[in-house]
């Protein structure tokens, strides 16, 4: 999974990136300090893996991972060359979802590019820049498609879609609320990789005092939550400064620190849950002496396609999947014991993989 982090300058974007990835990206109190995109890969915390790895005495335990891409802060007019933001938007066209960091804290020591704290204004500014960037992509595509549309029915159909879509964006609306008329149009739209067609997770960055009640007493946070609900987005409340402190602690210290703050989980865990929920993802597991590993798939994936995540040969030559729930496996202490109790199923091509399934694939190529 790949997530792109966007936001205005000085909203806590790079501080959040640093704390999530421990990558040491530059973070400073002035706009445009992030010249090149920062990229960090983060393991997805999964207690199930450790327990299974211990049971099997696995030589290697491999968690699922998330790749974060942090780009320069965007300002009003970025798409027209203001600041440095627009030239970096191409770096997040390939991401699965966008994490939009919104400043919901007051601090006279940290300048805001627009002078005041207003989360909804900031969201609108970023959305407009993403819209303008998408319009630019569409204009290039229109110019290219126009050349063949007179002689090619498919190109003519695509051109009509492009012009409708461009008009939709010019009204200030996002591509993800654009209504396609058939599967062909859906396929065209998906191929453009538009920023405003991507799922969004809002990270409401608050002061430490607003963390314990999840921002309930912060008017800005409540507006962001309301907007997220209306737009089908996810939202989580975070204090980037606290996350930076957590990043410097080990596992035991982190648990104590969170408890002192009255929190049950870190910002990274909140973000991972929000992104899995938004993208409809889950994990199945493979376990053995050599390696215990988590594999991320879409909810609703059938056994052969899940096998294909491991290797294309597994999908091509799929015969059966030996499936046991990780809890049953841990309780019984071995796959053989789980088999004896009738807890292991031999599943065929139509089996829909469940979160927490431990699977042994049988295949023949």
């Amino acid at each position: 999974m790949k997530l792109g982090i966007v936001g205005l300058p000085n909203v806590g974007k790079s501080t959040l990136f640093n704390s999530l990835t421990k990558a040491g990206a530059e973070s400073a109190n002035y706009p445009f300090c992030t010249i090149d995109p920062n990229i960090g890969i983060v393991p997805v915390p999964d207690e199930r893996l450790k327990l299974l790895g211990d049971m099997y005495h696995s030589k290697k335990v491999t968690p699922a991972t998330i790749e974060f891409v942090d780009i320069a802060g965007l300002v009003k007019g970025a798409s027209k060359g203001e600041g440095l933001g627009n030239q970096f938007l191409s770096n997040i066209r390939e991401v699965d979802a966008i994490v939009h960091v919104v400043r919901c804290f007051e601090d006279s020591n940290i300048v805001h590019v627009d002078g005041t704290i207003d989360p909804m204004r900031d969201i609108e500014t970023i959305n407009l820049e993403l819209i303008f960037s998408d319009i630019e992509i569409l204009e290039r595509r229109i110019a290219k498609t126009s050349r063949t549309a007179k002689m090619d029915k498919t190109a003519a159909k695509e051109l009509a879609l492009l012009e409708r879509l461009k008009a939709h964006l010019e009204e200030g609306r996002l591509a993800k609320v654009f209504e396609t008329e058939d599967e062909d149009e859906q396929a065209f739209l998906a191929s453009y990789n538009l920023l405003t067609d991507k799922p969004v997770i809002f990270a409401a960055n608050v002061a430490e005092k607003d963390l314990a009640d999840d921002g309930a007493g912060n008017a800005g946070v409540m507006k962001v939550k309301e907007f997220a609900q209306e737009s089908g987005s996810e939202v989580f409340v975070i204090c980037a400064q606290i996350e930076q402190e957590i990043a410097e602690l080990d596992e035991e210290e982190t648990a104590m620190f969170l408890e002192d703050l009255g929190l049950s989980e870190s910002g990274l865990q909140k973000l991972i849950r929000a992104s899995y929920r938004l993208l409809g993802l889950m994990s199945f597991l493979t376990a053995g002496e050599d390696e215990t590993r988590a594999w991320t798939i879409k909810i609703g994936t059938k056994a052969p396609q899940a096998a294909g995540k491991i290797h294309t040969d597994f999908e091509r030559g799929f015969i059966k999947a030996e499936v046991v729930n990780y809890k049953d496996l841990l309780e019984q202490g071995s796959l053989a014991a789980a088999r004896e109790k009738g807890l292991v199923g031999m599943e065929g091509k139509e089996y829909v993989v469940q979160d927490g399934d431990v699977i042994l694939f049988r295949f023949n190529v």
Side-chain angles (χ1 to χ4, degrees):
M1 177 163 50
K2 199 170 178 180
L3 301 177
I5 303 179
V6 303
L8 291 169
N10 298 345
V11 295
K13 210 164 48 63
S14 292
T15 303
L16 178 60
F17 174 84
N18 284 340
S19 57
L20 295 178
T21 64
K22 303 181 187 179
E26 188 181 355
S27 171
N29 182 21
Y30 55 92
F32 321 127
C33 80
T34 313
I35 303 299
D36 296 313
N38 294 305
I39 294 172
I41 294 173
V42 179
V44 174
D46 193 336
E47 182 63 19
R48 302 172 300 187
L49 281 181
K50 185 185 182 307
L51 297 170
L52 287 168
D54 289 346
M55 188 183 100
Y56 276 96
H57 306 292
S58 304
K59 292 171 193 163
K60 198 162 98 174
V61 174
T62 309
T65 57
I66 295 180
E67 183 177 320
F68 288 101
V69 184
D70 173 37
I71 63 165
L74 299 172
V75 293
K76 201 174 284 183
S79 53
K80 304 292 179 204
E82 288 295 320
L84 298 166
N86 190 45
Q87 59 186 294
F88 302 117
L89 284 170
S90 59
N91 293 312
I92 57 165
R93 286 209 175 268
E94 302 304 317
V95 300
D96 300 303
I98 287 172
V99 180
H100 184 162
V101 184
V102 187
R103 180 171 166 178
C104 299
F105 66 90
E106 296 278 355
D107 187 336
S108 56
N109 296 317
I110 301 175
V111 296
H112 188 292
V113 286
D114 289 328
T116 55
I117 307 301
D118 184 342
M120 296 316 298
R121 177 201 59 207
D122 294 353
I123 287 173
E124 193 179 334
T125 297
I126 296 293
N127 280 349
L128 280 173
E129 295 314 315
L130 299 182
I131 285 170
F132 292 146
S133 184
D134 281 350
I135 287 171
E136 207 176 288
I137 294 285
L138 294 181
E139 283 172 343
R140 287 205 291 270
R141 187 83 184 193
I142 286 168
K144 185 181 171 187
T145 312
S146 298
R147 292 196 284 271
T148 53
K150 285 176 186 171
M151 300 161 286
D152 183 321
K153 280 184 183 175
T154 306
K157 184 172 184 176
E158 183 182 3
L159 184 59
L161 166 75
L162 285 163
E163 285 169 345
R164 266 178 34 237
L165 182 53
K166 180 171 175 265
H168 171 90
L169 291 175
E170 284 171 343
E171 287 171 3
R173 294 189 288 166
L174 307 180
K176 65 180 175 182
V177 296
F178 177 77
E179 290 184 14
T180 50
E181 291 177 357
D182 55 31
E183 284 181 9
D184 288 344
E185 288 197 349
Q186 282 171 20
F188 285 137
L189 178 57
S191 72
Y192 305 146
N193 235 347
L194 299 179
L195 294 169
T196 62
D197 196 29
K198 295 186 185 297
V200 174
I201 304 162
F202 291 103
N205 189 11
V206 300
E208 185 184 328
K209 65 179 175 63
D210 288 327
L211 261 187
D213 67 354
D214 204 39
N218 183 310
V221 171
M222 298 320 287
K223 283 179 183 170
V224 174
K225 284 185 173 180
E226 198 179 308
F227 181 77
Q229 197 172 2
E230 287 168 4
S231 59
S233 304
E234 285 282 340
V235 63
F236 71 106
V237 176
I238 197 165
C239 174
Q241 211 56 52
I242 291 290
E243 290 302 313
Q244 200 163 35
E245 289 177 42
I246 289 172
E248 291 162 16
L249 305 174
D250 63 29
E251 216 170 296
E252 204 174 303
E253 289 171 327
T254 298
M256 286 166 62
F257 185 60
L258 289 171
E259 198 179 323
D260 288 345
L261 290 168
L263 303 174
S264 57
E265 58 185 351
S266 70
L268 176 60
Q269 288 164 317
K270 281 185 185 178
L271 174 53
I272 288 167
R273 273 198 306 107
S275 51
Y276 269 60
R277 209 163 43 232
L278 186 66
L279 296 169
L281 300 175
M282 55 170 240
S283 296
F284 75 90
L285 313 160
T286 52
E289 280 182 26
D290 286 336
E291 183 182 38
T292 290
R293 182 166 181 166
W295 304 87
T296 303
I297 55 170
K298 284 262 186 196
I299 292 168
T301 299
K302 291 184 178 177
Q305 288 69 49
K309 284 289 285 186
I310 300 172
H311 198 287
T312 49
D313 285 351
F314 285 26
E315 182 175 356
R316 197 157 46 91
F318 178 88
I319 300 170
K320 289 278 180 191
E322 205 167 352
V323 181
V324 59
N325 181 270
Y326 81 98
K327 284 181 184 170
D328 292 337
L329 181 56
L330 288 168
E331 277 170 19
Q332 299 307 316
S334 73
L335 190 60
R339 274 197 203 106
E340 276 178 35
K341 287 279 175 73
L343 297 168
V344 180
M346 290 298 284
E347 306 292 353
K349 290 183 177 181
E350 293 306 307
Y351 177 71
V352 176
V353 176
Q354 302 299 307
D355 189 51
D357 277 351
V358 181
I359 306 182
L360 178 63
F361 291 106
R362 304 201 177 281
F363 68 101
N364 183 24
V365 178

